[in-house]
Amino acid sequence: MLVSDFDYQLPRELIAQQPPAERAGARMLTLDRHTGALADRRFLDLPSLLREGDVLVVNDSRVLPARLYAERAGLRPQPGQRPAQVQVLLTEQRSAWEWDALVRPGRKSHVGERLHFLDPLSERLLLAAEIVAHGPYGQRTLRFDPVPDFYAALETLGHMPLPPYMHRPDQPTDKDRYQTVYARDRGSIAAPTAGLHFTEEVLAAIRGRGVTIVPITLHVGLGTFQPVRVERLEDIVLHTERYTLPAATAAAINLAVAQGRRVLAAGTTTVRTLEHCARLGTTLTPHSGQTSIFLSPGSEFRIVTALLTNFHLPQSTLLMLVSAFAGYDRTMAAYRHAVQQQYRFFSYGDCMFIS
């Protein structure tokens, strides 16, 4: 198959620029992947669609305020002039003080250059870093000067890394709304967006149906911001992302699979983690690791039997994953229906439940 097979027409006005007024207020399109039947519902209907004995797996990764703005050391402007800013998106921590990052403008950011990160209110220097390695497409490695509390400085300086299709700066409310209510382990540079719809009340209603809710952790990395640059699916290579499969989660899923009960994944990050782990042995074992698994039409799903997911970008690997799970024709038909019914798309948009 070709990447272009996963294109679809999406009016720009359907790309959600803001979260819904209420966290659980999204619409939800349901798709029966066996019959292709579609139904227009609300996310608040989800508990009623679950069964006693189901296992719902969520990704508890926490989004970092990973977008920073720096000045080049030694290039402070003349009085009355605004400093030229360098935009830095931290993508992955390499060691205690080294981070991979996307730097813009990349062509002006050279190895050996130092960057200063100033408190926007006091202009006090909070972080400083040197560019120590150069990569393609604006990728750089930064080595930060040690400070007593790096993450405290990051909270002061950092902005939530909203995706580029949100044509607005981040707002104070994004620090809450671009984060799941169960986020725990910090490390992602994009939210596992299917989880953004859950509230504590919805989670309680799901547990009340006799559903077990368990976490995995997959830190969403650089790949979520990188477009597919090849023409054929067979040539796609994904960036690796770090994950952790806890012991209680592995045990709950192993038992559900053995007993023929459903395993529901909240989001494509959860699917990728579980299906990667399923390929490591006959049963799941608790561990941490890295995955670059790419799921596309023809891939076998060994664990996941139902999926909650948002609507994904045209020609994206996430749309390919959904097509692998639900079938290409049924997925693309569902997307055409969603456009016709004016669902809201992407991170702050509406969702699908596929079973």
Side-chain angles (χ1 to χ4, degrees):
M1 299 186 74
L2 300 177
V3 172
S4 58
D5 292 331
F6 296 86
D7 200 8
Y8 64 91
Q9 295 300 312
L10 178 67
R12 292 184 62 183
E13 61 269 21
L14 297 186
I15 301 175
Q17 300 295 311
Q18 301 284 350
E22 300 294 332
R23 183 181 280 271
R27 298 167 69 192
M28 184 173 71
L29 177 62
T30 62
L31 168 61
D32 186 322
R33 65 189 180 120
H34 305 289
T35 67
L38 298 170
D40 299 307
R41 298 177 180 267
R42 310 293 302 185
F43 174 74
L44 287 172
D45 295 329
L46 180 64
S48 68
L49 302 178
L50 305 186
R51 309 169 189 160
E52 183 176 359
D54 284 347
V55 176
L56 172 62
V57 189
V58 300
N59 181 4
D60 67 1
S61 180
R62 189 169 187 83
V63 182
L64 293 165
R67 193 181 304 280
L68 307 172
Y69 295 92
E71 296 179 8
R72 292 184 172 88
L75 294 180
R76 296 302 300 275
Q78 297 296 319
Q81 293 182 337
R82 295 178 61 86
Q85 287 190 322
V86 177
Q87 185 179 138
V88 174
L89 177 65
L90 303 180
T91 58
E92 185 173 2
Q93 189 170 13
R94 282 179 168 266
S95 63
W97 299 107
E98 286 193 353
W99 287 76
D100 287 338
L102 289 178
V103 178
R104 297 287 187 271
R107 60 186 175 82
K108 294 184 178 180
S109 303
H110 306 295
V111 172
E113 183 177 4
R114 288 186 60 79
L115 302 176
H116 286 174
F117 301 84
L118 307 180
D119 186 313
L121 297 179
S122 68
E123 293 198 351
R124 183 167 58 94
L125 181 66
L126 295 185
L127 292 174
E130 179 181 346
I131 299 176
V132 296
H134 180 286
Y137 308 115
Q139 297 173 43
R140 301 290 186 270
T141 300
L142 307 183
R143 181 184 297 124
F144 285 89
D145 296 348
V147 293
D149 193 335
F150 177 83
Y151 287 101
L154 198 60
E155 289 294 332
T156 299
L157 294 167
H159 298 256
M160 293 302 275
L162 297 183
Y165 49 74
M166 290 188 196
H167 301 291
R168 64 172 178 85
D170 66 311
Q171 302 161 347
T173 53
D174 290 313
K175 285 204 171 183
D176 171 60
R177 294 301 301 275
Y178 197 62
Q179 199 83 265
T180 64
V181 297
Y182 45 74
R184 296 291 181 270
D185 188 4
R186 61 193 175 200
S188 280
I189 63 168
T193 55
L196 296 180
H197 306 287
F198 288 100
T199 64
E200 295 296 349
E201 292 76 15
V202 171
L203 293 169
I206 290 171
R207 292 188 183 97
R209 300 278 297 183
V211 176
T212 300
I213 303 175
V214 292
I216 56 92
T217 304
L218 180 130
H219 294 312
V220 184
L222 177 61
T224 195
F225 288 95
Q226 298 286 46
V228 177
R229 294 188 170 94
V230 297
E231 295 183 356
R232 301 180 303 175
L233 266 63
E234 62 200 70
D235 296 327
I236 292 175
V237 178
L238 299 186
H239 286 79
T240 59
E241 294 172 312
R242 294 178 293 117
Y243 70 85
T244 296
L245 176 67
T249 299
I253 294 171
N254 285 335
L255 184 60
V257 170
Q259 295 178 347
R261 294 184 278 117
R262 293 196 304 180
V263 177
L264 294 73
T268 55
T269 59
T270 303
V271 175
R272 294 181 64 244
T273 304
L274 295 179
E275 294 300 325
H276 168 86
C277 293
R279 287 152 173 77
L280 301 179
T282 54
T283 59
L284 299 183
T285 57
H287 68 286
S288 295
Q290 293 185 327
T291 182
S292 60
I293 189 172
F294 172 49
L295 298 168
S296 61
S299 296
E300 177 187 4
F301 288 79
R302 304 180 183 182
I303 290 180
V304 176
T305 50
L307 169 63
L308 177 73
T309 183
N310 279 18
F311 294 98
H312 302 293
L313 276 70
Q315 302 189 42
S316 66
T317 59
L318 301 184
L319 178 54
M320 296 167 196
L321 182 155
V322 175
S323 298
F325 185 72
Y328 172 80
D329 291 336
R330 286 171 177 163
T331 298
M332 301 309 288
Y335 270 61
R336 290 192 294 272
H337 175 90
V339 170
Q340 292 167 358
Q341 297 300 313
Q342 296 191 312
Y343 278 73
R344 301 167 74 245
F345 278 66
F346 307 160
S347 293
Y348 273 153
D350 297 316
C351 58
M352 293 180 68
F353 179 61
I354 306 170
S355 61

